[in-house]
Amino acid sequence: MQELLKNNNHFYFTSLHELYIFETEKVNYVADNHVPKSISFSSAFQAIPTGDHIIIFRGDHAVYSLYKGELTEHKDSNATKISELITGSIVVVNTSGTFILKNNQLHQLFISNGIPTLQLIIDNLNVQDVSDVFGEATMQTMVVSSSTDGVYVFKKQYFRSILSPLSHTYINNFYAQTELSDGSIFSANAIVDSKGTISRQNKIKDIDQSALLTDSNKNIYLSYNNGLFKTDETFQHLKKIADVDGPVRNLISHHDTIWFADRAKIGYIFNDLFFESYPGISATRSHLPDITALFKDSYTTWIGTENGLYMMKGNQTEPESIQELRNKRISYITTCYGNSIFIGTKGQGCFIYKNGTYTSMPMDKNNALSTVNAAISDLNGFLWITTNRGLLKASIKEIEKFAAGKAETVYYYYYYKEDGFATNEFNNANTSPVIIKRNGLFSFSSLKGLVWFNPSDIKPGYFPGHIFIDELTIDDSLVKPASEIELPPTYTNFNVKVSVPYWGNRNNLELSYALSDKELKWYPVDESGFIHFTKLPNGSYTLLIKARAGYGD
């Protein structure tokens, strides 16, 4: 515990082991119960505590740190920069850290490996008359109070929304996308350079928005004017590969072979020639609905349609209808790290295929997964799912445990506009509404621009892990909290009010409870925080409460 006290021209800093008394040109201190000592300076100085250290700034920009009575001078360029920043700044010191505010920039000052270090927390902090700053432990959420203008809450933005300032809204409406060799994104309506600047796409006008693909030789395949065309990154020449029935619905690359589907057929490209792969599909058009999604692995082809899912294994020539997904409008099919297959639908939820079994995934509490637009796995074992109601993340291990009957549900973590999107409505394209750029960034298509982020950088909202019991009532009468509560024989209702301090989106906080009298069965705590019991049978019970606000909590 630390404390900072001021008295006229002196101030005092105490911690568990030290007492410092600062005067105009001198520091007096007692460390670890030793004899009092003092350090004199040739000129006035400013002292700022941070953690267990005191950082001292002299008028000539010399910088020192004081720790357990040991004084260290810092002469590196970073120390000089900190000294210059301190001049004329607002300094806030409290239990959450040491903060420096200058020129509308908020920095945190701390010691890292014995060296004074600055970290920019908020750029362009447009708050007048700042009186205090508080940051939770991960510094993802900052609270800034003003003596004249209330309290402001700032949250770290991991997502970057890529938008054009032009008034033509269609420029920001992205569907299929593909990355070019210079790191830019090419789409039907716009080109986005590697820095995120959008310009109108004038290379090829009126191409279809549903399908784009770049192969390993940097050839670009696109749907245009009732045909599948090939071009290169100069976009000077278009070569027609195949006639199509309406726009190309899907373009995928499997083992360096380009496969595509239109409404009526599936085929692949070899030496710029189209070969129909499953002629039986065309022959069965009378009972096979329009193709909406296509996915291949080494042995199986999955075909999503407007009215169900079909599978073709090995040398099959007739599509096999999947009974579990009959009458489902398939929107997207992808792999979960090669271990299972994820299938999304329009309006009918999502499914997992693993070990020959199709399992309906549990619906999230906000029904966002009713309509799935796209999904992609990251390298950390999570599946990211775009919907018309935001972006959801789920653990692939949890999904597969649920599919195997070893878990009762799946935890979904929500991301919304407040996290950095321009809209909660993401777009579906039959091909590449989401891609992984070569620099590791995910790029998602939405109704209002692209959304870029690195999944490895994203941290959940800060959760301190404390659960509080705020109130106990028996038949509307308050009861003093205690480790044991005895319910009278005549009672009707026993209510427990619980709460959790949580800095993130409340949709991501899950509270549940169980009674330990028998095999544990967990029940959700409703949004009011109340747990209700009515006429429990005679006996002794232990009430268990758990909270979850991310993965590993």
Side-chain angles (χ1 to χ4, degrees):
M1 181 177 179
Q2 303 167 356
E3 189 171 359
L4 181 65
L5 305 174
K6 295 183 179 181
N7 179 19
N8 298 327
N9 295 326
H10 299 66
F11 78 84
Y12 308 82
F13 175 77
T14 65
S15 69
L16 289 176
H17 304 286
E18 299 138 325
L19 167 65
Y20 294 95
I21 303 173
F22 294 87
E23 301 180 32
T24 304
E25 296 181 4
K26 186 170 65 173
V27 180
N28 304 296
Y29 67 91
V30 177
D32 293 327
N33 296 323
H34 291 170
V35 178
K37 297 181 180 180
S38 66
I39 300 174
S40 297
F41 292 89
S42 58
S43 61
F45 62 89
Q46 181 178 5
I48 299 176
T50 175
D52 292 330
H53 292 70
I54 305 289
I55 302 179
I56 297 173
F57 301 93
R58 213 167 58 185
D60 58 0
H61 295 301
V63 179
Y64 302 84
S65 61
L66 187 57
Y67 177 64
K68 292 187 176 181
E70 296 294 328
L71 188 69
T72 303
E73 185 175 5
H74 303 278
K75 297 182 179 181
D76 56 281
S77 58
N78 186 55
T80 303
K81 178 183 176 182
I82 295 174
S83 178
E84 293 172 349
L85 182 69
I86 290 294
T87 304
S89 65
I90 297 173
V91 179
V92 177
V93 181
N94 55 38
T95 55
S96 71
T98 300
F99 303 97
I100 313 297
L101 176 61
K102 187 175 182 180
N103 298 329
N104 290 337
Q105 289 186 325
L106 181 67
H107 301 261
Q108 184 185 15
L109 177 63
F110 55 95
I111 296 291
S112 176
N113 297 321
I115 299 172
T117 304
L118 271 180
Q119 180 179 352
L120 179 63
I121 301 294
I122 302 176
D123 196 7
N124 192 26
L125 178 65
N126 190 21
V127 177
Q128 301 298 316
D129 303 316
V130 171
S131 58
D132 203 359
V133 177
F134 180 83
E136 44 84 0
T138 63
M139 296 299 165
Q140 294 182 86
T141 303
M142 303 295 299
V143 180
V144 179
S145 61
S146 164
S147 59
T148 59
D149 200 22
V151 177
Y152 295 78
V153 177
F154 297 85
K155 293 187 177 182
K156 186 175 179 63
Q157 300 283 282
Y158 291 103
F159 299 90
R160 182 184 175 193
S161 192
I162 308 298
L163 287 166
S164 168
L166 298 178
S167 59
H168 305 291
T169 56
Y170 73 88
I171 292 178
N172 290 319
N173 192 2
F174 286 85
Y175 288 89
Q177 54 176 308
T178 190
E179 185 180 20
L180 306 182
S181 58
D182 63 357
S184 62
I185 298 292
F186 176 83
S187 72
N189 54 318
I191 293 179
V192 184
D193 70 19
S194 59
K195 295 182 179 180
T197 302
I198 297 180
S199 59
R200 187 179 293 115
Q201 193 279 105
N202 291 319
K203 304 290 186 181
I204 308 171
K205 294 184 177 181
D206 301 322
I207 67 174
D208 297 322
Q209 294 183 319
S210 59
L212 283 170
L213 183 68
T214 301
D215 68 13
S216 58
N217 296 316
K218 302 179 183 179
N219 297 306
I220 299 170
Y221 295 84
L222 52 88
S223 176
Y224 170 70
N225 197 23
N226 290 323
L228 174 65
F229 288 81
K230 171 184 171 181
T231 185
D232 59 23
E233 293 189 356
T234 67
F235 300 98
Q236 297 299 312
H237 304 286
L238 279 175
K239 182 176 182 179
K240 191 172 188 178
I241 304 299
D243 292 318
V244 297
D245 183 0
V248 172
R249 297 299 182 92
N250 292 93
L251 276 168
I252 61 174
S253 178
H254 181 66
H255 293 167
D256 285 333
T257 298
I258 304 300
W259 291 75
F260 88 92
D262 61 16
R263 292 174 56 244
K265 60 182 178 293
I266 298 172
Y268 63 92
I269 309 300
F270 182 74
N271 287 339
D272 289 349
L273 297 176
F274 166 68
F275 295 87
E276 189 167 355
S277 182
Y278 304 113
I281 289 180
S282 297
T284 58
R285 285 296 300 153
S286 59
H287 67 265
L288 184 66
D290 287 352
I291 296 172
T292 58
L294 180 67
F295 182 80
K296 285 184 66 68
D297 65 16
S298 299
Y299 186 67
T300 306
T301 300
W302 280 268
I303 306 163
T305 75
E306 292 280 356
N307 199 30
L309 180 70
Y310 295 79
M311 175 194 291
M312 299 187 75
K313 294 183 177 180
N315 296 321
Q316 276 184 276
T317 57
E318 289 287 333
E320 172 189 347
S321 177
I322 305 303
Q323 296 303 310
E324 293 90 340
L325 282 93
R326 291 193 67 179
N327 301 318
K328 303 289 191 295
R329 186 183 176 192
I330 309 301
S331 59
Y332 203 77
I333 309 172
T334 190
T335 180
C336 297
Y337 255 147
N339 298 319
S340 52
I341 303 298
F342 173 86
I343 303 119
T345 74
K346 291 288 188 183
Q348 296 149 315
C350 46
F351 298 78
I352 286 291
Y353 173 80
K354 186 175 176 64
N355 297 331
T357 301
Y358 292 87
T359 303
S360 176
M361 286 177 57
M363 184 59 63
D364 67 289
K365 59 186 176 183
N366 294 331
N367 293 319
L369 290 175
S370 173
T371 293
V372 170
N373 291 324
I376 193 169
S377 303
D378 66 21
L379 296 177
N380 303 309
F382 294 102
L383 185 68
W384 297 79
I385 309 168
T386 64
T387 74
N388 293 337
R389 301 178 185 177
L391 174 65
L392 282 72
K393 181 173 75 171
S395 163
I396 294 173
K397 284 185 178 180
E398 286 190 19
I399 292 172
E400 294 184 346
K401 282 179 65 177
F402 177 82
K406 298 178 180 179
E408 293 185 358
T409 188
V410 173
Y411 173 79
Y412 302 107
Y413 196 95
Y414 294 87
Y415 297 95
Y416 293 121
K417 282 178 63 176
E418 64 199 58
D419 296 297
F421 314 150
T423 177
N424 285 331
E425 188 164 355
F426 290 82
N427 274 340
N428 171 254
N430 302 107
T431 300
S432 59
V434 54
I435 64 171
I436 303 177
K437 289 168 59 66
R438 285 186 294 276
N439 62 7
L441 291 181
F442 281 18
S443 179
F444 284 179
S445 296
S446 82
L447 278 176
K448 292 184 179 180
L450 296 174
V451 175
W452 287 359
F453 65 98
N454 187 329
S456 296
D457 291 342
I458 296 179
K459 305 294 188 297
Y462 177 61
F463 175 50
H466 304 302
I467 300 174
F468 295 94
I469 294 180
D470 296 332
E471 182 180 293
L472 300 172
T473 60
I474 299 176
D475 293 333
D476 298 326
S477 296
L478 287 174
V479 178
K480 184 178 180 180
S483 59
E484 292 186 4
I485 302 294
E486 185 173 341
L487 301 177
T490 57
Y491 96 98
T492 301
N493 295 301
F494 175 50
N495 298 320
V496 181
K497 175 71 164 57
V498 299
S499 65
V500 173
Y502 178 55
W503 291 82
N505 185 325
R506 299 297 292 188
N507 284 293
N508 294 323
L509 177 63
E510 288 190 354
L511 280 171
S512 53
Y513 71 94
L515 289 178
S516 64
D517 64 313
K518 49 187 176 181
E519 182 180 354
L520 287 183
K521 182 172 178 59
W522 292 92
Y523 300 92
V525 177
D526 65 34
E527 292 186 1
S528 70
F530 276 102
I531 303 171
H532 307 280
F533 298 102
T534 302
K535 287 295 183 182
L536 287 171
N538 292 337
S540 297
Y541 301 86
T542 299
L543 175 62
L544 304 175
I545 305 169
K546 66 180 180 179
R548 185 174 187 181
Y551 297 93
D553 295 331

